[in-house]
Amino acid sequence: MNFVFCSSSELDITDSASCTTVFEKHQPDFCINAAAYTAVDKAENEPEKAHAINVTGAQNVAAVCKIHDTVLLHVSTDFVFDGEKTSPYTEEDRSNPTGVYGQTKLDGEKEVAAVWEKHFIVRTSWVYSQFGNNFMKTMLRLASERDTLSVVNDQIGTPTHAVDLAEVILKIIESGKKAYGIYHFSNEGQCSWYDFAQKIFEVNAVSIQVNPIPSTCYPTPAKRPKYSVLDKTKIKEVFGLDIKKWEQSLEPFPSVV
Ligand SMILES: NC(=O)c1ccc[n+]([C@@H]2O[C@H](COP(=O)([O-])OP(=O)(O)OC[C@H]3O[C@@H](n4cnc5c(N)ncnc54)[C@H](OP(=O)(O)O)[C@@H]3O)[C@@H](O)[C@H]2O)c1
């Protein structure tokens, strides 16, 4: 497999001409669209920008994939759900986003499905890795600056190691299966952000006092789903996956940042 990785300056998904140029040059068999507007709180004040990237951008990518007969793997989010359920969300459950980010991601999914049949939409949750900005890196940075931390314990979800997500996307490609549609993927199990923080510190041998707090003590512009555990039965059955528990995927970071 040959990979071409495109930064936003090389391929601006809001610009269909940019998509065309890149696709004409590389003629990809598969396209993994992980580009998105992901600033959940900022999106409340920038709905047009979030829409341009998450909806128009997704539509542009799907359209160029259709022209080149390229299978599209589009990454989406647990934030398409309102969090009112108390058991894991299946692909058939009703979506009802609680904020602009989730709404634009949902609208982007609909564009992808409407424009190009050969698509896999992979909804995931609480993604972390050693790269970029994410909860794990924020916790480790804050721990190097403070003696105590307060973390919400009434939002329940499942962390996803980006490496596990990447492997699953590659497995979908390698399977050659044409079982297009929406799939849920995260690591196995569930926890609160507080539990996740505790485990991050344990695995990285960081000594810090962590206090559990309710979301009401940590108000944010965008409302988060209080429960967004994803049911992975479909992806496991269709692609024969054995998914690691979130605690098993958590490894010490190469360095505390
Ligand atoms: N992180 C999570 O917890 C989480 C959870 C569920 C789902 N997801 C989904 O996973 C995917 C990846 O998220 P992430 O956490 O990796 O987000 P991220 O760190 O914010 O990365 C998003 C990427 O999109 C690029 N991008 C933004 N606008 C673009 C444009 N117009 N054209 C091309 N690229 C553009 C950004 O490039 P620049 O930096 O150059 O702007 C950035 O590299 C997204 O679809 C997100 O909705 C993430």
Side-chain angles (χ1 to χ4, degrees):
M1 248 190 246
N2 288 329
F3 292 89
V4 177
F5 297 94
C6 296
S7 68
S8 58
S9 53
E10 290 159 319
L11 198 179
D12 176 0
I13 63 167
T14 65
D15 175 7
S16 61
S18 169
C19 298
T20 302
T21 305
V22 170
F23 270 63
E24 281 179 354
K25 182 172 176 197
H26 298 291
Q27 304 281 341
D29 296 318
F30 298 89
C31 170
I32 302 168
N33 181 24
Y37 180 106
T38 59
V40 176
D41 289 319
K42 225 171 147 193
E44 297 297 310
N45 291 319
E46 291 188 338
E48 294 85 8
K49 195 170 174 194
H51 187 277
I53 298 169
N54 292 347
V55 186
T56 310
Q59 185 185 38
N60 288 338
V61 174
V64 76
C65 282
K66 183 175 183 177
I67 291 168
H68 291 266
D69 196 27
T70 302
V71 175
L72 173 58
L73 296 105
H74 179 80
V75 183
S76 193
T77 173
D78 55 333
F79 276 35
V80 299
F81 297 115
D82 60 18
E84 294 303 321
K85 257 189 103 178
T86 50
S87 59
Y89 280 97
T90 71
E91 291 79 357
E92 281 73 41
D93 276 321
R94 190 179 67 97
S95 46
N96 184 31
T98 57
V100 170
Y101 166 72
Q103 185 64 55
T104 57
K105 289 294 294 181
L106 177 63
D107 293 345
E109 288 184 2
K110 289 179 180 167
E111 288 297 335
V112 166
V115 169
W116 182 220
E117 175 208 340
K118 294 184 182 176
H119 68 269
F120 294 95
I121 292 168
V122 182
R123 291 179 182 150
T124 187
S125 63
W126 298 23
V127 181
Y128 67 91
S129 81
Q130 68 185 93
F131 304 106
N133 293 318
N134 57 68
F135 181 78
M136 171 177 253
K137 289 180 71 177
T138 302
M139 288 299 109
L140 292 173
R141 178 176 52 77
L142 290 176
S144 69
E145 298 165 1
R146 303 180 190 177
D147 297 328
T148 65
L149 268 181
S150 296
V151 184
V152 298
N153 71 343
D154 57 0
Q155 286 170 28
I156 307 297
T158 312
T160 304
H161 190 183
V163 171
D164 294 334
L165 174 62
E167 279 179 6
V168 162
I169 289 174
L170 294 182
K171 268 189 188 155
I172 294 174
I173 291 174
E174 284 166 351
S175 77
K177 291 192 173 168
K178 296 184 168 81
Y180 305 120
I182 298 179
Y183 291 87
H184 287 175
F185 179 80
S186 66
N187 283 116
E188 293 282 21
Q190 63 177 58
C191 64
S192 68
W193 289 111
Y194 167 77
D195 300 325
F196 189 21
Q198 291 269 54
K199 196 74 187 171
I200 288 166
F201 296 134
E202 183 191 313
V203 165
N204 286 281
V206 173
S207 174
I208 183 166
Q209 166 148 3
V210 189
N211 305 314
I213 55 163
S215 303
T216 48
C217 291
Y218 188 74
T220 52
K223 189 176 172 231
R224 266 86 171 153
K226 62 177 189 245
Y227 178 91
S228 65
V229 177
L230 300 173
D231 183 312
K232 296 164 287 286
T233 306
K234 181 179 173 189
I235 201 165
K236 286 194 281 192
E237 284 181 4
V238 174
F239 298 102
L241 303 182
D242 186 18
I243 305 175
K244 276 195 230 169
K245 290 195 175 119
W246 71 268
E247 297 97 321
Q248 287 174 326
S249 272
L250 207 48
E251 291 164 356
F253 263 28
S255 61
V256 175
V257 282

